[in-house]
Amino acid sequence: MTSTVPAPVTCTADGSALQAVLLDMDGTLVDTEGFWWDVEVEVFASLGHTLDDTWRHVVVGGPMSRSAGFLIEATGADIALAELTLLLNQGFEDRIDRALPLMPGAARLLAELAAYEIPTALVSASHRRIIDRVLTSLGPQHFALTVAGDEVERTKPHPDPYLFAAAGLGADPARCAVVEDTATGVAAAEAAGCHVVAVPSVAPISPAARRTVVTSLEEVDLAFLRGLITV
């Protein structure tokens, strides 16, 4: 995890109480949720199993242990969780080495947060080896802190990753804006007490208290995020 920790941010002149922005990675900043499913389909095909497309909504956004474990149980595949995890990570790395498209609006949002020196963290259920590969495209300079799924005892949908990120940035979770694309990530952020902007990628997400749903990151900018958390 990176360790540069900016000073806490107080209320701005416009009344915003925003202290930090915490961003998911797969499906939120990079268009990779489909990559994971394609790799899972290919790996299980090599094992002699066909994945049911309805399972995609079950495994999206979750930690590798949960997703891989579910697919082993659902298919009855004769493979250990550790071996499957290795195959899935390797297949994903091969795909992002060929292409890593950013989500529309992602580059602009990251540049704006950096320009205004907003404390920003990348919070992902993906493993550190994957995050570090993706950071070469996103730009590690955009994040004061990054949190990987294999670096916390409990990853999403538990609140731990977002609580860890907020603490690392010296921010109150209630004054953090989280951007997520899956119900699993939204559950983690809300359990941590953050305000969530949901940009659904695979499955729909409904608006709720302290949750704003948009169709694209192109609708999200700093003014929008500041407007979510006011005094």
Side-chain angles (χ1 to χ4, degrees):
M1 289 167 284
T2 54
S3 57
T4 304
V5 179
V9 178
T10 56
C11 298
T12 60
D14 63 2
S16 174
L18 179 69
Q19 287 188 325
V21 177
L22 315 178
L23 299 157
D24 174 54
M25 187 178 76
D26 293 300
T28 299
L29 293 177
V30 289
D31 192 7
T32 51
E33 289 292 11
F35 285 13
W36 281 113
W37 179 248
D38 290 345
V39 170
E40 287 160 350
V41 168
E42 290 176 1
V43 168
F44 276 89
S46 71
L47 298 171
H49 297 276
T50 301
L51 300 189
D52 189 321
D53 196 60
T54 61
W55 296 342
R56 183 174 182 179
H57 291 180
V58 179
V59 301
V60 67
M64 178 72 74
S65 58
R66 188 196 74 183
S67 301
F70 168 83
L71 292 174
I72 290 173
E73 182 176 356
T75 61
D78 184 18
I79 187 171
L81 180 60
E83 182 183 357
L84 178 58
T85 297
L86 183 63
L87 290 174
L88 293 175
N89 274 326
Q90 185 58 59
F92 184 80
E93 288 180 35
D94 291 343
R95 284 187 175 257
I96 64 176
D97 282 346
R98 297 196 297 268
L100 183 57
L102 270 61
M103 298 298 286
R108 173 202 46 79
L109 177 59
L110 290 175
E112 183 180 17
L113 295 174
Y116 285 88
E117 300 183 344
I118 304 299
T120 302
L122 185 68
V123 184
S124 176
S126 290
H127 290 186
R128 169 56 56 187
R129 59 184 284 186
I130 299 296
I131 288 180
D132 287 345
R133 297 286 280 272
V134 174
L135 278 173
T136 61
S137 294
L138 287 176
Q141 72 277 8
H142 290 121
F143 306 99
L145 181 71
T146 62
V147 181
D150 56 343
E151 294 174 339
V152 289
E153 184 175 348
R154 301 187 307 170
T155 189
K156 304 173 187 179
H158 298 286
D160 306 32
Y162 283 112
L163 291 173
F164 186 92
L169 296 179
D172 178 353
R175 294 171 66 178
C176 293
V178 170
V179 185
E180 272 281 0
D181 73 303
T182 67
T184 299
V186 167
E190 291 180 342
C194 304
H195 194 118
V196 181
V197 178
V199 193
S201 62
V202 175
I205 298 173
S206 300
R210 297 182 62 80
R211 182 196 309 167
T212 303
V213 180
V214 299
T215 59
S216 168
L217 278 185
E218 294 183 314
E219 300 175 44
V220 180
D221 58 16
L222 181 54
F224 177 91
L225 295 173
R226 281 176 167 164
L228 299 176
I229 305 170
T230 58
V231 293

